Amino acid sequence: MICLRLELMKTIRQHRVCLMIICSMVFWLLLETSRKDIPTPSIACVNFKGRLGNLMLEYAFLHIISNMKNLNPVIPENFELMNVFNIRDKTPKQIRNREMACAGLPLHVERWGLSFDEDLFNVLSSESVRFDGFYQSWKYWSKSEQEIRVIFKFKKPIRDKAFSQFQNIMLIMNFDIRKKNNRVVSIHIRRGDYATKGHLKYGKLTPNATYYINAMNYFRRIYKNILFIVGSNDIKWDEEALGAEENVYFSRGLSAAEDMALLSLANHTIMSVGTYGWWIGWMARGTTVYYKHIFVPGSDFSKEFKDNSTEDFVYPGWIPMDESPNGWRDV
């Protein structure tokens, strides 16, 4: 009798297990069927490439085109900018493989890397699309600039570290920014890849020390007391070039995002070339001096500018300068 009961209980347990397995399979099939019945939202993708400055321009374009055309922006998983700014991942949850979801979409390629291509805005609304380019023009989002400023607000830990470093620099340099006619001017110096033969052959230029000294003298003519804060990917070159200048602090030990946040706290900006320094000038909202010889005329790089013009790249009101002797006097 006991044996029969044990056997019966064993059989019941087996039936329960089988029933649970069958129920799980049915639930999974129903779930998959329901997912197939839900249409995938229309999406917009860009081929993200480059470092911080480039990624910011690419994301700004993706944000604007998505809003304009009623599309859902797709960003990479673990997107770098989400660690820097308060960017929300709006990629539709139905998309499991983001790269594959974007790969098969109709592709629109930007005609110039550093000029505004209005044709990109001609894509149809609510139809999934993919873009390839650099979008290095403020004109893409000129009507939504304040919106872009909100997006590119640094996360609190980065803001706090930059502000703390800024205050520390004021103490080290014994500089009181609160005094009338006292100003802080950031200098971003792009060397590294721009100083290589390959980039020069392509037509990219980076200024020499005379340009930076000219730009510094321009601000010295306007303000009585100035502190210059230098950020760069080649501090050794910076110290050799500007070490003899008065009131210069060379920033070290910060990440790219932290350095950008620090330099953007200055009243005014001296930028060299590239998008990183461009964002610093834009964020600071003061006077920005830029190196006016961005490319070698007739070079491959010059073809990235529509009609060889830098108008679409350079933000309105910024001041051009070069290495001409006493060039700062002519501005």
Side-chain angles (χ1 to χ4, degrees), residues 232-251:
S232 174
N233 57 358
D234 191 348
I235 288 293
K236 183 179 179 181
W237 185 93
D238 306 342
E239 289 180 324
E240 292 174 356
L242 305 179
E245 298 294 314
E246 291 184 1
N247 277 12
V248 179
Y249 180 90
F250 298 94
S251 176

Side-chain angles (χ1 to χ4, degrees), residues 19-248:
L19 185 61
M20 289 175 65
I21 293 173
I22 292 170
C23 289
S24 298
M25 291 176 66
V26 170
F27 177 76
W28 182 83
L29 287 170
L30 289 172
L31 184 62
E32 287 298 302
T33 302
S34 65
R35 282 175 174 169
K36 290 177 182 178
D37 291 339
I38 299 174
T40 302
S42 298
I43 60 174
C45 308
V46 301
N47 295 331
F48 284 101
K49 47 189 174 286
R51 290 177 288 189
L52 183 58
N54 281 3
L55 292 176
M56 291 170 69
L57 284 159
E58 290 155 10
Y59 181 80
F61 172 79
L62 176 63
H63 174 80
I64 292 301
I65 199 71
S66 297
N67 284 353
M68 286 179 61
K69 300 299 179 178
N70 192 30
L71 299 169
N72 294 272
V74 175
I75 61 175
E77 293 188 59
N78 304 314
F79 188 38
E80 179 182 334
L81 294 190
M82 293 179 68
N83 298 322
V84 180
F85 306 106
N86 292 312
I87 291 175
R88 289 173 45 235
D89 187 354
K90 299 179 182 179
T91 303
K93 294 181 179 179
Q94 296 95 317
I95 295 177
R96 296 181 179 182
N97 189 317
R98 305 181 188 209
E99 188 174 344
M100 286 184 62
C102 294
L105 298 179
L107 178 63
H108 294 260
V109 180
E110 189 182 34
R111 287 178 290 175
W112 309 278
L114 289 99
S115 292
F116 175 59
D117 186 355
E118 66 277 8
D119 284 359
L120 296 184
F121 287 157
N122 292 335
V123 299
L124 297 176
S125 295
S126 302
E127 291 198 10
S128 295
V129 65
R130 177 167 56 108
F131 298 92
D132 187 35
F134 291 95
Y135 327 104
Q136 295 184 12
S137 173
W138 54 273
K139 289 185 177 181
Y140 282 115
W141 36 266
S142 59
K143 296 178 181 179
S144 306
E145 186 164 346
Q146 189 53 42
E147 193 175 334
I148 299 301
R149 289 192 183 277
V150 171
I151 289 172
F152 291 142
K153 181 179 180 180
F154 291 102
K155 284 196 167 184
K156 190 175 185 303
I158 295 175
R159 293 201 315 269
D160 289 348
K161 186 166 184 178
F163 184 74
S164 175
Q165 181 72 351
F166 188 83
Q167 295 290 89
N168 192 42
I169 293 170
M170 299 302 109
L171 291 173
I172 292 171
M173 301 300 291
N174 193 27
F175 190 84
D176 189 351
I177 195 173
R178 297 168 298 179
K179 286 187 177 180
K180 187 177 181 180
N181 286 326
N182 279 17
R183 296 293 187 275
V184 176
V185 176
S186 68
I187 304 176
H188 177 251
I189 299 179
R190 174 78 177 267
R191 299 281 301 170
D193 54 345
Y194 260 74
T196 62
K197 290 182 179 179
H199 276 67
L200 181 59
K201 185 178 179 181
Y202 183 60
K204 292 185 176 183
L205 296 173
T206 189
N208 62 27
T210 306
Y211 158 73
Y212 297 106
I213 294 171
N214 279 347
M216 294 165 80
N217 287 334
Y218 166 78
F219 284 108
R220 285 169 175 149
R221 184 179 65 177
I222 301 173
Y223 302 108
K224 183 177 180 181
N225 296 309
I226 299 179
L227 172 63
F228 298 98
I229 303 177
V230 179
S232 174
N233 57 358
D234 191 348
I235 288 293
K236 183 179 179 181
W237 185 93
D238 306 342
E239 289 180 324
E240 292 174 356
L242 305 179
E245 298 294 314
E246 291 184 1
N247 277 12
V248 179

Side-chain angles (χ1 to χ4, degrees), residues 284-303:
R285 302 199 200 196
T287 299
T288 295
V289 173
Y290 71 94
Y291 185 57
K292 68 180 182 180
H293 301 304
I294 298 177
F295 58 82
V296 176
S299 65
D300 288 339
F301 187 44
S302 70
K303 298 172 185 176

Side-chain angles (χ1 to χ4, degrees), residues 1-11 13:
M1 190 68 178
I2 294 175
C3 292
L4 285 173
R5 286 183 179 177
L6 291 173
E7 190 65 29
L8 181 60
M9 291 175 64
K10 182 178 179 182
T11 303
R13 281 198 297 268

Side-chain angles (χ1 to χ4, degrees), residues 269-285:
T269 308
I270 298 170
M271 63 170 284
S272 52
V273 289
T275 58
Y276 186 93
W278 191 100
W279 282 112
I280 292 169
W282 180 81
M283 288 177 169
R285 302 199 200 196

